[in-house]
Amino acid sequence: MTDNPQRVALGSFLRDLRQRAGKQLTEVEDLMDWYDGKASRVEVSGRGIVPAEAEKLAEFYGATASDREWLRELAIAARKRTRPAHVADFAQSYINFERQAVEISVFDDMLVHGLVQTAAYARALLSTSPRGQLEERVRDRMGRQAILMRADPPEVRILLGEAAIHQQVGGPAVMREQVGHLREVAARLPHVSIRVIPFAAGAHRALGVGFRIVRVADPAELTRVYLEGLTEATYIHNENEVDTYLSVFEHLWENVAANDRESGSILRRKMT
């Protein structure tokens, strides 16, 4: 079972209840007859707990009626399974966040984000990986884009370094198609905005640091920052750190990137 946002929110909420009640992890494990370390594991990931156990903990913590109802909703939602995506194990949680997101903000200096990639661009990228099942993984990536067409799509902002539209992923023909697709998506989907940071902008705080900010609202308000490497990913949940990434993204979007019209012009020139 892969992580979902509600599972993470469940663990965080249980930790908050315990700390408010002044209880220790060892007390929880004694009460629940859990092995050493399970209470911490539950609070970090929300895994390994059923709704009845959550109710028992709520009673132990002296939770209010509203807190108990909230905990019950989270515990039920956290048990739901989602189909695993054909991505590295460390990226599974991000895909589940993406599926349930109400807002997605992406900054990348070098690459076009998967939600707005063409199949040819995705195939060129994925073919560099040692993992097999290339065509299945391409279909899976294209399938992720269905969230943009659903009745309640997320608000998506994609911020690209100009290098991302010059890097010859798949060659000139693939890139012409990809840049054309970016223009089409931005023009056709009102909930998707794409801006470009031109080379002339020079240095800025996030230069060389790609990141994604995902907000989930139901049943828990939850924002996470996701950074991906070759062999692992980092999920940032500390409120102050998340706020830093949000602040940097907003600064880049409003003050460093070309506006919507100018970004469209940059993309159009790249196609000629």
Side-chain angles (χ1 to χ4, degrees), residues 31-33 51-61:
L31 172 75
M32 305 299 291
D33 195 27
E53 291 176 312
E55 292 276 358
K56 186 175 181 179
L57 288 172
E59 182 176 352
F60 181 55
Y61 298 148

Side-chain angles (χ1 to χ4, degrees), residues 120-139:
Y121 184 97
R123 185 175 294 106
L125 278 180
L126 294 171
S127 67
T128 66
S129 169
R131 302 173 64 231
Q133 300 177 305
L134 175 60
E135 291 307 314
E136 191 169 4
R137 291 165 63 207
V138 171
R139 287 194 297 272

Side-chain angles (χ1 to χ4, degrees), residues 114 117 122 125-126 137-145:
Q117 289 177 4
L125 278 180
L126 294 171
R137 291 165 63 207
V138 171
R139 287 194 297 272
D140 195 59
R141 180 161 296 190
M142 295 300 98
R144 284 168 52 190
Q145 299 176 6

Side-chain angles (χ1 to χ4, degrees), residues 94 97-98 101 103-104 212-216 222-224:
Y94 171 75
F97 270 72
E98 188 179 83
E103 291 181 5
I104 301 172
R212 310 167 199 182
I213 306 170
V214 182
R215 183 169 74 86
V216 173
L222 193 67
T223 302
R224 292 289 183 266

Side-chain angles (χ1 to χ4, degrees), residues 6 17 26 33 35 53 57 69 72 93 95 98 100 105 111 119 124-125 136 156 162 170 178 237:
Q6 286 73 34
L17 289 176
T26 52
D33 195 27
Y35 59 79
E53 291 176 312
L57 288 172
E69 179 60 29
R72 188 178 302 112
S93 292
I95 298 301
E98 188 179 83
Q100 300 177 62
S105 300
L111 294 175
L125 278 180
E136 191 169 4
V156 178
E162 189 172 353
Q178 176 61 72
H237 57 82

Side-chain angles (χ1 to χ4, degrees), residues 12 16 218:
S12 296
D16 291 344
D218 183 27

